[in-house]
Amino acid sequence: YKPSIVIHLAAKVAGIQTNIAFPTEYLEENILMNTFMLKYAHKHKVKRFIGIISTCAYPNVVKNYPLEEKDLLNGPPAVTNFSYSYAKRIMAIQIENYNKQYQKNWNYLIPCNLYGEYDEFDNFKSHMVSALIKKIYEAELYLNLLGTGKPLRQFMYAKDLARIIKLIIDEQIYENLNIAPPENFTIKEIAEIGLKACNKRHLKIKWDPSKPDGQFRKDVTSKKLMNIFPNFSFTTLEEGIRITHKGYKNNIIGGHT
């Protein structure tokens, strides 16, 4: 195909339980994937490479929140996704090395947690919002959730990230940027928004505090992004969950689980 632009979104990725269970695979497979993508993009003279990192790569704890792009390497990541986080950090370093050594204009983007109709809906593999939608759909009286509900998270509807990537390419932006909506909800608040969006507000939430909460907070600022695209509007969490829930139900009814 000889592409002039490569957007590297691929990754071995899942929820907190899988990251804890398989740290070797999450480090090794992601490092190999990223390394070969970059190596052969360089070999075939790809003009534009955009690597997708993750807010998981940021330090577990910093003095000041929200996190800025300059904070990426300022401390170890959370132990619950340590291997995945370091693989993402290494890709950021690799991209910077190609830029310095070979005068590339490559960059990386750091989105917060994503969700959408085409996500992995599996209680063991998926991230919080997609797992939440599946649990809400299946629940009758109680919604059983892991942890305490206290940690803070930013979630972004996946199509918003796609729109931003398109803008960045069209406008020839080469900066490394955080991408996240401004809201930073507790897990409990996200669950309540999910119940409202899915018309299941009658369900009672039961928490299992014996399960790990993961990183307490990792919210990032999109100030640099919004200075470039001041008119960009993110999909609200309630609307995004409503769209995703509808897509999930349609797949269930259509037999595409």
Side-chain angles (χ1 to χ4, degrees):
Y1 293 102
K2 297 181 180 180
S4 59
I5 301 171
V6 169
I7 304 165
H8 177 35
L9 294 138
K12 182 177 180 65
V13 59
I16 185 173
Q17 296 181 82
T18 315
N19 272 274
I20 293 170
F22 303 104
T24 301
E25 288 79 3
Y26 277 84
L27 181 68
E28 184 177 82
E29 292 185 29
N30 281 301
I31 286 178
L32 287 172
M33 194 184 309
N34 300 338
T35 299
F36 283 121
M37 287 294 297
L38 287 160
K39 181 181 180 67
Y40 284 95
H42 170 62
K43 180 179 178 179
H44 293 282
K45 298 179 173 58
V46 170
K47 183 178 180 181
R48 186 78 199 267
F49 186 100
I50 300 175
I52 305 301
I53 312 294
S54 167
T55 53
C56 294
Y58 274 110
N60 185 33
V61 179
V62 297
K63 290 183 179 180
N64 299 303
Y65 291 91
L67 291 149
E68 299 178 31
E69 290 84 353
K70 64 181 177 60
D71 295 320
L72 185 61
L73 304 178
N74 291 340
V79 294
T80 46
N81 54 11
F82 197 79
S83 292
Y84 175 77
S85 301
Y86 259 108
K88 289 293 189 179
R89 285 187 178 192
I90 290 168
M91 181 165 69
I93 294 169
Q94 288 173 305
I95 288 171
E96 294 291 6
N97 286 345
Y98 274 102
N99 287 341
K100 290 176 184 177
Q101 187 170 344
Y102 299 106
Q103 294 75 54
K104 305 285 190 185
N105 277 321
W106 293 356
N107 69 318
Y108 56 86
L109 306 175
I110 313 175
C112 65
N113 294 311
L114 301 172
Y115 68 94
E117 307 94 300
Y118 306 104
D119 205 350
E120 177 76 64
F121 292 92
D122 181 285
N123 292 342
F124 191 69
K125 295 179 181 179
S126 61
H127 283 103
M128 188 259 171
V129 167
S130 299
L132 174 68
I133 289 169
K134 182 175 186 290
K135 286 186 175 185
I136 290 174
Y137 181 82
E138 295 174 346
E140 295 181 0
L141 295 175
Y142 297 100
L143 178 63
N144 296 305
L145 299 178
L146 306 182
T148 65
K150 295 178 181 179
L152 297 159
R153 289 292 182 270
Q154 290 170 304
F155 275 94
M156 175 169 51
Y157 183 49
K159 287 184 180 179
D160 287 351
L161 176 59
R163 290 163 56 210
I164 289 171
I165 292 172
K166 179 68 162 53
L167 283 171
I168 284 170
I169 293 170
D170 290 345
E171 300 298 323
Q172 299 183 44
I173 305 300
Y174 299 101
E175 291 185 68
N176 304 317
L177 299 168
N178 288 331
I179 304 176
E183 296 85 8
N184 189 32
F185 296 111
T186 66
I187 297 296
K188 181 177 182 292
E189 288 171 330
I190 293 169
E192 291 168 347
I193 292 169
L195 290 175
K196 182 181 178 183
C198 300
N199 294 317
K200 289 286 190 76
R201 277 180 282 190
H202 65 280
L203 294 176
K204 303 297 182 183
I205 301 175
K206 283 188 174 182
W207 299 96
D208 181 359
S210 69
K211 297 297 189 293
D213 273 332
Q215 192 171 0
F216 181 72
R217 66 181 297 183
K218 55 174 183 170
D219 46 301
V220 300
T221 175
S222 296
K223 184 178 179 180
K224 286 175 65 177
L225 174 76
M226 298 311 296
N227 284 339
I228 299 169
F229 303 115
N231 296 321
F232 186 86
S233 178
F234 287 94
T235 303
T236 66
L237 182 60
E238 183 177 342
E239 179 61 18
I241 290 177
R242 186 177 292 113
I243 295 168
T244 304
H245 179 246
K246 181 179 179 181
Y248 176 73
K249 285 199 302 182
N250 289 342
N251 283 337
I252 293 291
I253 294 169
H256 304 296
T257 57

